[in-house]
Amino acid sequence: MKLDIARQPLVPAFLTLFVLAVTTMCCAGGHLQPAGSGGVPGEVPLAGELLRQFQAACPVWARIAAGFMILFTGMCIGRIAIRYNLYTIGTCLPIPLYAIAACGISIGENYLTGFAASMLLALAAKNYCRAFCNGYGFDAIFRASLYLGLLPVVYAPGTPLLLILPLAVLIFRRTFREAVVALTGLLLPIAAACYVSWGAGGDFTGPLVALGESMTAGLPLRIFTEMPFPALMMLGAFALLDLTALLFFLTDLYATGTKPRFVLFFNIGILVLVWALLFSPAATPEIFTLIAVPSALLIPVFFVRIHRNIALPVYMLLLAATFATILLQ
């Protein structure tokens, strides 16, 4: 009996996810020094800085928390693929592919923030897909926008991903009233951060200024010059797999049903936005955990369309390269 990676069942998929999560957290970087708040009286740090301080103060608990985030996000992505039957066959392949992409490129020294942002992006994508339904989907689209609105508060360089909201409204054909509800959920986290800053004696616009400074700090393409060679090789491999899977999807566009097709279109839009963030001056290695979310949903199209005698070596090579990259970094 030949092993068919494209039809990977739940148990081996979850075991791969679990082993990669444990290995990544055991080999994670050393002690992290918290960034200072600048000494401004009344300044309240954003959630991303609080996570950074927690990782610096409690590295063991931070690794445990990040490991659970990897497991939760991987299972969340697998649920999207299974619920909407994205590949016309039953497979849990997105579950290990998320771990391979999130852990195999570079997790960065501030890994707790990176995996928290990745979890929020997966939850937002999951709920936006739930909002693609007959009738109104106020509950799902509000929660999705709330998760998306939390993303910049946790990881400031991911602020341009707020464009996912109009993308979801257009692709999933939501009404004006649903768009207003979604916009409310999107603005709620940053509005709450501004209110807390004002209540603590700081400027009401302090969090907005901090987000703006975080988005413009650094030099363009800095992330590529600072990456080690194995991480660059893994990044190139995932770029090639994403592009190949996209071509397979577009050449046989109507091989799937209407809802899976629109969900994949939405996922491709997220993928384009996340890859564009790599060229922003504020990009850090933690951004690769965001790339893992849409990549894990798109790349299985490649494994489903090619012959299984080719799929198995490619998958095993990716898995071996991921373990090697984790151990080397």
Side-chain angles (χ1 to χ4, degrees):
M1 180 178 177
K2 294 183 178 181
L3 181 62
D4 189 358
I5 288 298
R7 298 177 182 270
Q8 188 165 155
L10 178 61
V11 173
F14 177 78
L15 288 177
T16 305
L17 174 70
F18 180 80
V19 172
L20 281 171
V22 172
T23 306
T24 301
M25 290 301 100
C26 289
C27 300
H31 187 71
L32 178 67
Q33 297 296 329
S37 62
V40 180
E43 182 178 354
V44 178
L46 295 176
E49 175 59 24
L50 294 177
L51 288 174
R52 181 184 178 91
Q53 292 175 5
F54 176 76
Q55 180 183 331
C58 308
V60 175
W61 286 108
R63 293 186 185 193
I64 294 174
F68 276 107
M69 288 177 184
I70 296 173
L71 297 178
F72 179 83
T73 309
M75 297 304 293
C76 181
I77 291 173
R79 180 176 173 82
I80 296 174
I82 295 172
R83 179 171 183 173
Y84 300 103
N85 192 24
L86 297 184
Y87 318 112
T88 68
I89 63 171
T91 179
C92 295
L93 187 59
I95 296 175
L97 281 178
Y98 167 76
I100 291 172
C103 306
I105 303 176
S106 178
I107 62 172
E109 63 174 11
N110 195 12
Y111 54 82
L112 185 61
T113 296
F115 286 117
S118 180
M119 181 179 65
L120 289 173
L121 180 59
L123 286 171
K126 173 186 173 183
N127 283 279
Y128 277 130
C129 292
R130 284 188 61 195
F132 186 30
C133 59
N134 295 326
Y136 293 113
F138 291 112
D139 176 58
I141 201 168
F142 176 80
R143 282 190 280 117
S145 301
L146 184 63
Y147 292 131
L148 186 62
L150 283 169
L151 182 57
V153 181
V154 171
Y155 183 63
T159 303
L161 291 181
L162 297 181
L163 293 173
I164 291 174
L165 173 57
L167 180 69
V169 171
L170 290 174
I171 291 180
F172 296 149
R173 300 172 182 175
R174 295 298 86 197
T175 64
F176 176 75
R177 283 184 284 181
E178 288 173 302
V180 172
V181 171
L183 185 61
T184 303
L186 187 74
L187 298 178
L188 189 59
I190 190 62
C194 291
Y195 179 78
V196 171
S197 175
W198 173 70
D203 292 334
F204 183 81
T205 58
L208 295 175
V209 174
L211 282 179
E213 292 177 349
S214 299
M215 290 174 58
T216 56
L219 299 173
L221 306 180
R222 178 192 61 180
I223 189 172
F224 296 104
T225 60
E226 296 178 353
M227 286 178 63
F229 184 72
L232 279 173
M233 291 291 292
M234 287 295 292
L235 181 62
F238 276 99
L240 181 61
L241 286 173
D242 283 335
L243 182 59
T244 307
L246 176 61
L247 293 176
F248 277 142
F249 172 67
L250 294 178
T251 53
D252 200 3
L253 190 59
Y254 296 98
T256 58
T258 301
K259 182 170 285 190
R261 185 164 64 250
F262 277 84
V263 170
L264 283 172
F265 271 129
F266 175 62
N267 183 73
I268 291 169
I270 298 176
L271 184 66
V272 172
L273 287 174
V274 178
W275 273 99
L277 290 182
L278 286 178
F279 301 93
S280 69
T284 61
E286 290 77 24
I287 202 171
F288 298 124
T289 60
L290 298 178
I291 290 178
V293 174
S295 293
L297 285 171
L298 181 62
I299 292 177
V301 175
F302 165 80
F303 286 98
V304 168
R305 300 294 173 84
I306 64 173
H307 197 277
R308 61 182 176 183
N309 290 337
I310 301 175
L312 180 60
V314 172
Y315 178 79
M316 297 306 295
L317 183 62
L318 269 179
L319 199 57
T322 300
F323 279 109
T325 305
I326 293 172
L327 295 175
L328 287 175
Q329 71 181 0

